[in-house]
Amino acid sequence: MILVTGGSGFIGRRVTSRLTEDGNSVRVLARGQRRADQPSGVEVVRGDVVSAEGLSEAMSEVEKVVHLVAIIRESGSQTFEAVIRQGTERLVEAAKVAGVRKFVYVSAIGAQDNPYYPYLHAKWAAERAVALSGLKYTILRPSIIFGEGDEFINALAGLVRHNPVVPVAGDGKAKFQPLWVEDLVTCIVACLDEDAHGGQTLEVGGPEHLTYEEMLDIVTEALGKSRLKAHVPLAVMRPLAQMMEWVLPKPPVTRDQLKMLALDNITETDSMMLSFGVQPRSLADSLDYIKR
Ligand SMILES: NC(=O)c1ccc[n+]([C@@H]2O[C@H](COP(=O)([O-])OP(=O)(O)OC[C@H]3O[C@@H](n4cnc5c(N)ncnc54)[C@H](OP(=O)(O)O)[C@@H]3O)[C@@H](O)[C@H]2O)c1
């Protein structure tokens, strides 16, 4: 049995599909906040890594774990510390009790021991919990992931569709390395092999480094539009983000995300080929889903 935590999310649904197509028994752990059609045969256990509810039930007879639970913005008890750091610590303990043979954790490029970036700091702490667990593990650190149902590229598409002049936070020069979701799933599945990449932390990204502004241009072209861009200084964006955090349940941008724009979100462009023998798809060639 393979447990996919966060299996109802954007990446998780692709992972459960691929694993069931390959003939595996699959169980999903999530709180059940979102509707997620799972392939037939997938067991769904409602649970919460913050309260630990459902963890031992979810872990029963599990041999391998893909740990995908995380949040990108905090809300109430769903803090980075509670969900990402403590949630991973709890899951690791449950996995040890269950005798799990391989633990694959999807972290993020930029994970670091620096509390100035709370999301990346929690990811770093979660990585340590996995690495020090004594379990056989592989940690993947991807750049941003795109594909049907993603948040990032769909948000850019929304900006382009609805604004004759598209706002760009700061100078728009922060670099990303967008990776197609199915390419990431290929890496995750490969890492589930007990002997593959044991004890390694691997950064993975797509075939090219693109600035935020270049991604916006690619999305604009894919939508067949022509748009002017207006750079909004970060000093102006920060109070706007603060206000959106106060009034919106799901703000389009948070102060934490603005801080992270100071960091490039990239690795080597041949990272996928070197570690997994995969030539990843480029963003421009894979945007049909935003045109529907
Ligand atoms: N998407 C990207 O561009 C990207 C880039 C780099 C790294 N990653 C990493 O990849 C992983 C998956 O990302 P994603 O984009 O698929 O995220 P997502 O769509 O937001 O899915 C998150 C999953 O976690 C579950 N979850 C949230 N809080 C929970 C809790 N307290 N207890 C149990 N389950 C909980 C959610 O289901 P419920 O809400 O129903 O509980 C959902 O299934 C994350 O670790 C993320 O940091 C993603």
Side-chain angles (χ1 to χ4, degrees):
M1 174 67 74
I2 301 174
L3 176 65
V4 183
T5 77
S8 60
F10 161 55
I11 297 168
R13 286 197 305 272
R14 301 316 200 302
V15 173
T16 60
S17 295
R18 185 81 67 86
L19 288 173
T20 45
E21 278 160 29
D22 293 350
N24 298 286
S25 303
V26 178
R27 186 181 293 148
V28 161
L29 171 80
R31 293 170 307 157
Q33 298 283 307
R34 57 189 90 192
R35 190 180 144 271
D37 298 325
Q38 295 290 347
S40 72
V42 171
E43 283 178 35
V44 178
V45 171
R46 280 197 181 202
D48 190 327
V49 298
V50 174
S51 65
E53 176 204 337
L55 288 201
S56 48
E57 186 196 339
M59 205 56 89
S60 165
E61 292 177 25
V62 166
E63 295 171 329
K64 298 177 179 183
V65 173
V66 179
H67 179 34
L68 294 168
V69 167
I71 49 169
I72 192 64
R73 61 181 79 74
E74 299 186 305
S75 165
S77 61
Q78 288 276 99
T79 61
F80 296 136
E81 172 74 11
V83 176
I84 298 179
R85 180 203 198 115
Q86 294 168 7
T88 302
E89 288 168 355
R90 285 193 189 98
L91 194 76
V92 160
E93 285 311 310
K96 282 158 69 176
V97 172
V100 162
R101 300 209 314 265
K102 185 75 191 266
F103 194 103
V104 178
Y105 178 45
V106 177
S107 180
I109 281 186
Q112 56 187 275
D113 183 13
N114 183 354
Y116 180 71
Y117 302 108
Y119 169 79
L120 298 172
H121 190 238
K123 282 285 189 189
W124 170 84
E127 287 185 357
R128 271 177 64 84
V130 174
L132 298 175
S133 65
L135 295 164
K136 265 194 183 174
Y137 74 90
T138 307
I139 294 169
L140 290 170
R141 286 180 168 186
S143 184
I144 56 158
I145 309 300
F146 68 92
E148 187 150 17
D150 70 37
E151 223 178 86
F152 194 89
I153 296 297
N154 273 302
L156 295 189
L159 281 174
V160 171
R161 276 193 207 100
H162 302 300
N163 297 286
V165 179
V166 180
V168 175
D171 65 6
K173 300 286 181 240
K175 289 197 191 99
F176 298 83
Q177 197 174 336
L179 177 64
W180 187 42
V181 63
E182 294 297 341
D183 287 330
L184 176 65
V185 173
T186 300
C187 305
I188 293 172
V189 172
C191 291
L192 280 170
D193 184 324
E194 272 180 64
D195 300 319
H197 304 293
Q200 293 183 11
T201 299
L202 301 168
E203 294 188 338
V204 283
E208 57 203 339
H209 294 164
L210 297 170
T211 64
Y212 179 89
E213 211 166 344
E214 285 168 339
M215 290 194 295
L216 197 53
D217 290 343
I218 289 172
V219 167
T220 306
E221 195 180 326
L223 291 173
K225 309 269 188 202
S226 156
R227 291 288 185 258
L228 292 173
K229 286 172 280 191
H231 290 269
V232 185
L234 289 175
V236 175
M237 286 296 294
R238 274 186 217 105
L240 284 175
Q242 166 81 82
M243 273 194 292
M244 288 190 282
E245 285 174 57
W246 278 331
V247 297
L248 298 175
K250 207 174 158 186
V253 67
T254 64
R255 284 162 302 156
D256 279 335
Q257 288 167 331
L258 290 178
K259 276 192 212 168
M260 287 193 287
L261 282 179
L263 305 172
D264 286 335
N265 195 288
I266 55 174
T267 184
E268 301 302 321
T269 47
D270 58 358
S271 58
M272 293 283 292
M273 187 51 84
L274 285 177
S275 298
F276 297 98
V278 169
Q279 178 55 47
R281 277 209 201 179
S282 71
L283 181 65
D285 290 340
S286 322
L287 282 177
D288 282 350
Y289 67 96
I290 61 167
K291 299 178 201 162
R292 289 179 207 129

